[in-house]
Amino acid sequence: MSKGRTEAVIERLHGLHPKMIDLSLGRLEALLEKLGHPERSLPPVVHVAGTNGKGSTCAFLRALAEAAGQRVHVYISPHLVQFNERIRLAGELVSEPVLVEALEEVERVNAGAPITVFEVITAVALLLFSRVPADLCVVEVGLGGRFDATNVVTPVVSAIASISIDHREYLGDDIRGIAAEKAGILKSGAPGVTGLQLPDVLEVLDREAAKQGVSLLARDRDWHIARRGDGLRYSDPDGVVDLPLPALPGEHQLDNAGIAVAAMRAAAKTALPLSWRAEGLARAEWPARMQRLTGLLAKDLPDGWELWLDGGHNPGAGVMLAGHLRGWKDRPAHVIVGMKQAKDAGQFLASVLPEADTVWAIAEPGQYLALPVEAIVSASGGKAIPGPTVRQAMAAILKQAEAGSIPGRILICGSLYLAGEILKLDQGLA
């Protein structure tokens, strides 16, 4: 798909506001009024927030509904390779002509008023969702929750995935304050669903739910999920459901899968005839979430070696990835890390370093706001080895591997923007 026309409009829009991110709802609310309030003409909405896992939860929600033949709109951010990944209309990625036409329409209606690009893209998504019939609308929060542009929707269910420290420059360092911002998506008339949370976080979520007069369904209190045989078993006061193992690997995905199931069960009570089927969990797809690569980059490795990609980039994601690495003790594990500026590289690496045989620091050409390789090495306490690019790091790993040794695994992680560049390389698009 040619991206020229889309990028041209986006480039113009960047000139409308001096900041990439400016958390506020006023500008978008004014634009939506001019557009005739498309946010009031949507299919049933599940609104998803969280620090880690909200994207995977969105993928599970979509898969559960589509397994039952439902048409699903999805709005996510950021995109990894192509801009149209952000908007899915009734199951299909929006085409460039439709996207460009909607972008230009919103641009005309906005008439040069100050507004951020994300706010415009959100308006475009809501406008398209209001015009294309569907059974469900899954909307992922961009950043925070209370003042995120997506918080103009009226959900039937609000889902909140794992909360930890991230985006300090916008949300601060206090976990309770961050939880309060995420809980800003909870709204009167719509139950909330959440997974495992720190006690302080759950206390804040419960408090904010009570303010809205809604129930908050929390894992291991109001609903449960656990492995059973070769699948999963979910239970809540309404009954027990046997589930297949999620297609997305990692123990943390049980939490995200459970949130999605709990949300769909809650939504189906009020948004009839919305339906879902459990087998959808085994079909979910979500790029750069413990994704095994099999393209051009992977072909650079000898037989038996595995190449994995994950966009995890904050301390909470580091803990999750460390858990995954502990399950890889059957063979050498090498981690290649590239991060975005302003991220807490030290805390992320503190969890990952003890579980990896080697750690390599990289910054890919074209990687948005890449943290310099030297800064990653410093954050690792000098333990990370300069790549300085992914191909060079992979070549060095193979050179160090002993002839005849057990084939290893390589995990590339640290940034969704890095993940986008890696996918381009693996797909031959770079």
Side-chain angles (χ1 to χ4, degrees), residues 32 38 55 60 75 79 113 131 137 162 164 166-167 191 193-194 215 228 252 254 308 316 323 345 377 395 405 427:
L32 291 173
F60 287 133
Y75 179 49
H79 63 282
R131 293 173 173 174
C137 190
S162 176
S164 62
D166 196 13
H167 297 293
V193 174
T194 193
S215 59
R228 182 178 176 86
H252 60 286
L254 272 65
W308 293 79
V377 173
S405 62
Q427 296 169 14

Side-chain angles (χ1 to χ4, degrees), residues 364-418:
E364 283 297 295
Q367 182 185 337
Y368 178 67
L369 290 179
L371 188 65
V373 168
E374 297 77 12
I376 298 174
V377 173
S378 177
S380 74
K383 296 177 182 177
I385 306 165
T389 67
V390 68
R391 287 192 184 276
Q392 289 170 311
M394 288 173 60
I397 290 168
L398 295 178
K399 186 175 181 180
Q400 288 185 5
E402 296 181 9
S405 62
I406 298 173
R409 294 185 178 94
I410 297 175
L411 169 63
I412 305 168
C413 61
S415 165
L416 283 171
Y417 294 105
L418 170 66

Side-chain angles (χ1 to χ4, degrees), residues 336-389:
I336 299 175
V337 178
M339 302 195 73
K340 183 187 173 188
Q341 296 170 23
K343 295 299 179 182
D344 193 336
Q347 286 296 310
F348 176 83
L349 290 165
S351 299
V352 173
L353 280 165
E355 308 301 335
D357 289 87
T358 63
V359 175
W360 302 76
I362 67 168
E364 283 297 295
Q367 182 185 337
Y368 178 67
L369 290 179
L371 188 65
V373 168
E374 297 77 12
I376 298 174
V377 173
S378 177
S380 74
K383 296 177 182 177
I385 306 165
T389 67

Side-chain angles (χ1 to χ4, degrees), residues 138-181:
V138 177
V139 176
E140 179 188 11
V141 167
L143 195 160
R146 187 180 310 277
F147 297 111
D148 183 75
T150 64
N151 207 25
V152 296
V153 300
T154 302
V156 295
V157 176
S158 302
I160 302 177
S162 176
I163 293 175
S164 62
I165 300 289
D166 196 13
H167 297 293
R168 284 183 163 94
E169 66 274 34
Y170 299 106
L171 304 179
D173 294 318
D174 176 42
I175 191 67
R176 293 178 65 88
I178 291 173
E181 289 304 308

